[in-house]
């Protein structure tokens, strides 16, 4: 695996001579993050075009469609670097673009579909979203109700999706819908759905606790007609395709959290070193510096688990168990680190003026999105053969 001293870095991987300019984050994103957080949305088309031109959006995608043709470990390297963005919402939206809306299309889509949707998505000309979750079906993917009924050479789509990242700006959606009346794990299909079709209604942009610079939408479909050729792979295999994609999504999510956690710990060290209480730096209290050391050790343990899982995945192994373990640990550790560090910032930590408070809100989603902690535990138990059978 491409690593150096236990860390992925873009610079030592030589992804592309001169193309991976890490100053993109410092020049094109971080100076505007506070503004985008206040506005509740970042300009996805503008930012993604910059990232697309630099190669960030197609690292592990085939070269014939504009990607770089590298293995998945390089995508994880990018995820870690994107953690230098000083909010959670923008990296999350990039993750949807690169590792959630496009893997199934890349693996199973027709050449025509890839040219129509994948090529402009990798280039940053299209913003993509993933249409899986519904009001009554978040982690319970099998329970979705949206239907796509075949009529002639078209699917007619009815239903709705909830919590859709980039939903109000997206050009197309990778939609999971029921295409038959069969068993719930065999009746679903993935469809490339252009978002400008009649009958698609973006009902509202959801006001969220965190991830505020990433727009999240509720979307309804009313007799939306899409060509049957927009089907990804085979009809009825959508659930299976989505489950395969979850391995990459969850590993990407873990990777994207590592740098923010390190940043929070370091900024807390810097602040508690200069902040004095009762005549001495807060950092000099043993409970503070011991706790920060403990949290740093936990982050390194999480990184090691991630690297092991990615190495196995690149070799072609099923890493569902390890990906679920890493996702579970990341969700809990992000809460632990942000809560502990915020406490050491005192009253300042309860303001919107410091990064720790933003990430306290943003990273709380790690235990919910992409499969809840409880879902991860069920998957782990299944692989351990200790989950009660129905």
């Amino acid at each position: 695996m491409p690593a150096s001293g236990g860390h992925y870095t873009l610079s030592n991987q030589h992804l592309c001579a001169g193309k991976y300019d890490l100053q993109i984050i410092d020049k094109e994103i971080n100076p505007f993050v506070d503004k985008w957080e206040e506005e509740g949305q970042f300009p996805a088309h503008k930012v993604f075009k910059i990232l697309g031109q630099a190669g960030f959006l197609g690292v592990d995608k085939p070269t014939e469609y504009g990607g770089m043709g590298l293995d998945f470990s390089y995508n994880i390297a990018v995820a870690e670097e994107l953690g230098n963005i000083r909010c959670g919402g923008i990296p999350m939206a990039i993750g949807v673009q690169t590792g959630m809306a496009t893997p199934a299309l890349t693996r199973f889509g027709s050449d025509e579909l890839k040219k129509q949707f994948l090529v402009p998505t990798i280039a940053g000309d299209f913003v993509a979203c993933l249409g899986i979750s519904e009001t009554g079906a978040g982690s319970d993917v099998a329970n979705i109700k949206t239907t796509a009924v075949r009529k002639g050479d078209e699917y007619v789509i009815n239903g709705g999706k909830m919590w859709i990242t980039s939903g109000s700006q997206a050009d197309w959606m990778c939609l999971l819908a029921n295409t038959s009346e069969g068993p719930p794990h065999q009746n679903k299909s993935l469809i490339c759905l252009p978002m400008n079709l009649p009958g698609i209604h973006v009902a509202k942009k959801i006001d969220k606790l965190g991830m505020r610079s990433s727009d999240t939408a509720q979307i309804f479909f009313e007799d939306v007609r899409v060509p049957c050729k927009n089907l990804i792979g085979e009809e009825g295999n959508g659930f299976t395709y989505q489950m395969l994609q979850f391995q990459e999504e969850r590993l990407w999510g873990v990777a994207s959290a590592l740098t923010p956690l390190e940043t929070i710990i370091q900024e807390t060290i810097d602040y508690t070193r200069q902040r004095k209480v009762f005549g001495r730096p807060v950092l000099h209290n043993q409970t503070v510096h011991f706790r920060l050391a403990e949290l740093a050790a936990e982050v390194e343990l999480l990184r090691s688990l991630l690297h092991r899982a990615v190495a196995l995945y690149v070799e072609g192994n099923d890493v569902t168990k390890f990906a679920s373990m890493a996702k579970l640990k990341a969700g809990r550790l992000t809460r632990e680190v942000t809560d502990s560090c915020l406490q050491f910032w005192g009253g300042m930590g309860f303001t919107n003026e410091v990064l720790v408070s933003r990430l306290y809100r943003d990273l709380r989603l790690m235990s919910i999105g992409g499969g809840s902690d409880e879902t991860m535990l069920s998957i782990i138990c299944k692989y351990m053969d200790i989950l009660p059978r129905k």
Side-chain angles (χ1 to χ4, degrees), residues 32-290:
F32 311 102
V33 164
D34 290 346
K35 177 175 178 285
W36 295 338
E37 285 279 306
E38 290 179 8
E39 293 174 349
Q41 183 170 299
F42 77 99
H45 284 92
K46 177 182 178 181
V47 172
F48 284 4
K49 186 58 182 176
I50 294 170
L51 294 171
Q53 289 175 333
F56 274 103
L57 303 182
V59 172
D60 62 342
K61 300 298 189 293
T63 55
E64 59 265 38
Y65 299 106
M68 299 182 69
L70 300 169
D71 68 49
F72 180 68
S73 67
Y74 290 88
N75 207 24
I76 292 296
V78 172
E80 287 203 33
E81 292 295 340
L82 292 174
N84 288 298
I85 296 174
R86 294 182 69 81
C87 70
I90 297 171
M92 177 181 67
I94 298 169
V96 170
Q97 183 93 347
T98 62
M100 300 179 200
T102 50
L105 173 60
T106 304
R107 286 195 186 95
F108 306 109
S110 66
D111 180 64
E112 181 182 355
L113 275 186
K114 291 175 186 177
K115 288 178 178 176
Q116 183 179 354
F117 294 98
L118 184 60
V119 170
T121 302
I122 290 172
D125 294 321
F126 278 6
V127 173
C129 66
L130 179 64
I132 305 295
S133 296
E134 300 179 5
T135 302
S139 296
D140 184 9
V141 176
N143 196 41
I144 66 166
K145 305 301 183 187
T146 296
T147 60
V149 179
R150 185 186 286 264
K151 292 188 178 180
D153 60 355
E154 292 181 317
Y155 285 111
V156 180
I157 301 168
N158 284 281
K161 295 295 177 178
M162 187 67 166
W163 306 299
I164 305 304
T165 298
S166 302
S168 63
Q169 299 186 77
D171 297 287
W172 71 280
M173 172 186 287
C174 180
L175 171 75
L176 185 69
N178 297 316
T179 48
S180 74
E181 297 291 337
H185 297 112
Q186 301 171 23
N187 73 335
K188 293 170 174 56
S189 302
L190 286 173
I191 299 169
C192 290
L193 179 67
M195 290 295 286
N196 60 354
L197 295 176
I200 297 179
H201 307 287
V202 179
K204 65 176 180 179
K205 188 170 69 174
I206 299 168
D207 187 12
K208 309 184 301 296
L209 170 69
M211 301 291 192
R212 299 191 65 83
S213 56
S214 171
D215 62 294
T216 306
Q218 181 179 22
I219 300 171
F220 293 108
F221 311 112
E222 184 179 357
D223 292 331
V224 179
R225 293 181 175 271
V226 62
C228 290
K229 66 180 182 180
N230 283 27
L231 175 72
I232 296 175
E234 297 182 11
E235 188 172 283
N237 282 348
F239 185 87
T240 300
Y241 296 161
Q242 185 58 36
M243 292 304 105
L244 287 172
Q245 184 268 120
F246 271 140
Q247 291 186 86
E248 293 191 6
E249 175 181 338
R250 288 162 183 165
L251 291 172
W252 200 99
V254 173
S256 70
L258 291 175
T259 301
L261 293 180
E262 289 181 324
T263 299
I264 292 170
I265 291 171
Q266 186 57 54
E267 291 195 2
T268 302
I269 291 171
D270 295 341
Y271 182 71
T272 54
R273 178 174 279 126
Q274 58 88 22
R275 179 190 174 209
K276 292 186 177 181
V277 175
F278 302 120
R280 66 171 183 165
V282 171
L283 185 62
H284 288 189
N285 290 281
Q286 187 182 77
T287 187
V288 176
H289 55 252
F290 271 19

